[in-house]
Amino acid sequence: MVAYQQNPRGHNHGSLTHTSCAQAHVHQCLDITGPAVPTPDGSHVHHSESWVLYEHGHSHYYKSISGPALPLPNGWHVHDWNFYTTVDVGHRHHVSGPDMPAQEI
């Protein structure tokens, strides 16, 4: 079990998206990030790693770091993701876009 220190920006994000199409299929990507990691510019990022859903007889692994926090007008924020999965069965998939909003802390 990984122990994280409590952080004043202690929160995470979820997301539900699909990968890009490769070899005539996509995978669903369900994700919950790790806690916020402060950056020198006063923002923060999140680490995430997991597997896309097992579909079409295989799965793909990914490990990524989000972009910095992007403020929303309601005081919440999102992060953009832009990464590729591992190559499995001769191909990989691209995942990009925002995660679900979280309250700014």
Side-chain angles (χ1 to χ4, degrees):
M1 180 175 173
V2 177
Y4 294 101
Q5 290 186 338
Q6 191 69 332
N7 182 321
R9 291 180 172 240
H11 69 280
N12 59 8
H13 295 261
S15 65
L16 168 60
T17 190
H18 286 87
T19 65
S20 62
C21 186
Q23 293 189 352
H25 72 276
V26 299
H27 294 267
Q28 194 172 34
C29 185
L30 307 170
D31 185 69
I32 298 176
T33 70
V37 177
T39 56
D41 63 0
S43 186
H44 67 280
V45 296
H46 294 270
H47 293 261
S48 186
E49 65 179 304
S50 192
W51 294 84
V52 297
L53 267 59
Y54 182 88
E55 298 174 296
H56 304 279
H58 67 281
S59 189
H60 300 269
Y61 179 77
Y62 64 90
K63 184 174 185 176
S64 185
I65 299 173
S66 75
L70 302 170
L72 298 173
N74 63 0
W76 290 41
H77 69 278
V78 295
H79 297 267
D80 272 334
W81 293 93
N82 187 10
F83 61 88
Y84 286 90
T85 66
T86 55
V87 175
D88 295 280
V89 195
H91 69 281
R92 68 182 181 170
H93 296 271
H94 184 230
V95 178
S96 64
D99 53 20
M100 289 190 235
Q103 199 166 16
E104 187 60 60
I105 298 177

